[in-house]
């Protein structure tokens, strides 16, 4: 492309972006939002806007705000800095959708109760506590991640016999780390899991398999002074080894 034509093209893009930037968020949502998404209380513009709530399938987001990136549009991406609430939790980060269909997230973080995520991940239905989920980088192509670098920390996870309200549960904390960059086409994604406090020592590995199954294997051992209910629960899961630990192994679907 000749220099003059290139400058004219850039000028036209800038003009269009400036024109589009003034479109009210309520109008933009009607044009571009998928039919399955319901927005309420929209304010601002397509460029910098907010919504009181957003319903997507079974998930419901609270106060949400966004700020689009004009530079990303020149690269063929729709990118924005987004902040939203899920129950008493908050999620924020930089999201990008490319014309190729890939979805990326950088510096993304969620802080709040685990139960707020159950509509997104039904496998969490039996788990509660507080979570701090940080994605240094994440990209998904063709319905499976192509890179994941993340740390997940959970606190105040109740340990004890399920359904027995007469026994006060002990609280534990765990950390999972994933460093998969890149992920080969449809390859498994592995995470290491360890305790970071509480009555139980845990050392294990979580493997995610496409399209959405998981397996966990590892060992757990009660610490000195652990509540009897926790010690008994570990005994139910399997025989203890010579080091006093119990081998754990289970699988499921996300």
């Amino acid at each position: 492309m000749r220099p003059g034509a290139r400058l004219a093209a850039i000028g036209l893009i800038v003009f269009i972006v400036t024109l589009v930037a003034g479109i009210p968020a309520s109008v933009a949502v009607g044009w571009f939002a998928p039919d399955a998404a319901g927005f309420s209380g929209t304010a601002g513009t397509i460029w910098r806007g907010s919504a009181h709530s957003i319903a997507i399938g079974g998930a419901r987001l609270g106060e949400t705000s966004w700020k689009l990136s004009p530079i990303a549009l020149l690269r063929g991406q729709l990118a924005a800095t987004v902040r939203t609430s899920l129950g008493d939790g908050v999620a924020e980060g930089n999201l990008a959708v490319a014309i190729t269909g890939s979805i990326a997230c950088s510096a993304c973080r969620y802080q709040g109760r685990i139960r707020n995520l159950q509509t997104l991940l039904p496998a969490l239905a039996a788990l509660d506590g507080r979570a701090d989920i940080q994605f240094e980088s994440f990209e998904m192509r063709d319905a499976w991640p192509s890179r994941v670098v993340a740390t997940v920390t959970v606190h105040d996870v109740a340990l004890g016999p399920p359904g027995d309200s007469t026994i006060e549960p002990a609280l534990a904390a765990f950390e999972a780390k994933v460093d998969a960059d890149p992920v080969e086409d449809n390859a498994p994604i592995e995470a290491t899991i360890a305790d970071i406090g509480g009555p139980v020592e845990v050392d294990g590995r979580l493997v995610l398999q496409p399209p959405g199954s998981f397996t966990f294997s590892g060992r757990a051992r009660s610490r000195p002074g652990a509540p009897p209910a926790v010690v008994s629960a570990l005994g139910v899961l399997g025989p203890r080894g010579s080091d006093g630990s119990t081998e754990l192994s289970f699988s499921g679907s996300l």
Side-chain angles (χ1 to χ4, degrees):
M1 181 181 292
R2 292 177 299 177
R6 185 180 298 112
L7 287 174
I10 293 175
L12 178 60
I13 291 173
V14 171
F15 171 76
I16 293 174
V17 168
T18 303
L19 183 65
V20 170
I23 296 177
S26 57
V27 175
V29 164
W31 287 353
F32 303 116
D35 294 338
F39 287 70
S40 65
T42 53
T45 67
I46 186 176
W47 212 245
R48 185 193 291 256
S50 63
H52 178 66
S53 64
I54 304 174
I56 305 176
R60 186 175 184 85
L61 307 179
E63 292 287 345
T64 302
S65 61
W66 65 85
K67 180 182 178 182
L68 290 176
S69 168
I71 301 300
L73 290 177
L74 299 177
R75 298 196 301 262
Q77 289 183 324
L78 179 62
T81 300
V82 179
R83 179 183 174 90
T84 188
S85 60
L86 295 88
D88 64 349
V90 174
E92 57 188 341
N94 305 312
L95 303 178
V97 180
I99 57 176
T100 59
S102 65
I103 301 173
C105 173
S106 62
C108 290
R109 187 174 190 177
Y110 168 80
Q111 291 179 293
R113 297 204 69 84
I114 298 172
R115 65 187 178 201
N116 297 328
L117 304 174
Q118 291 174 3
T119 55
L120 303 175
L121 292 172
L124 299 176
L127 185 65
D128 198 12
R130 300 200 65 83
D132 185 349
I133 304 173
Q134 300 184 60
F135 285 93
E136 179 181 327
S137 63
F138 175 86
E139 184 173 353
M140 178 176 287
R141 298 177 182 174
D142 300 325
W144 189 249
S146 56
R147 59 189 174 100
V148 185
V149 180
T151 300
V152 179
T153 307
V154 293
H155 296 273
D156 300 334
V157 178
L159 302 179
D164 190 342
S165 58
T166 63
I167 299 178
E168 183 176 353
L171 300 180
F174 305 95
E175 182 178 76
K177 291 188 175 183
V178 184
D179 189 357
D181 187 6
V183 178
E184 300 299 331
D185 290 346
N186 291 322
I189 299 172
E190 297 187 8
T192 59
I193 297 180
D195 69 281
I196 53 174
V200 176
E201 297 178 10
V202 174
D203 181 16
R205 185 182 69 153
L206 180 70
V207 180
L208 306 178
Q209 297 273 5
S213 61
F214 68 87
T215 58
F216 174 84
S217 59
R219 303 194 72 85
R221 178 173 57 184
S222 58
R223 285 193 167 93
V230 172
V231 177
S232 298
L234 286 176
V236 171
L237 293 176
R240 293 184 178 86
S242 58
D243 62 351
S245 66
T246 299
E247 185 173 349
L248 305 177
S249 179
F250 56 86
S251 60
S253 300
L254 296 175

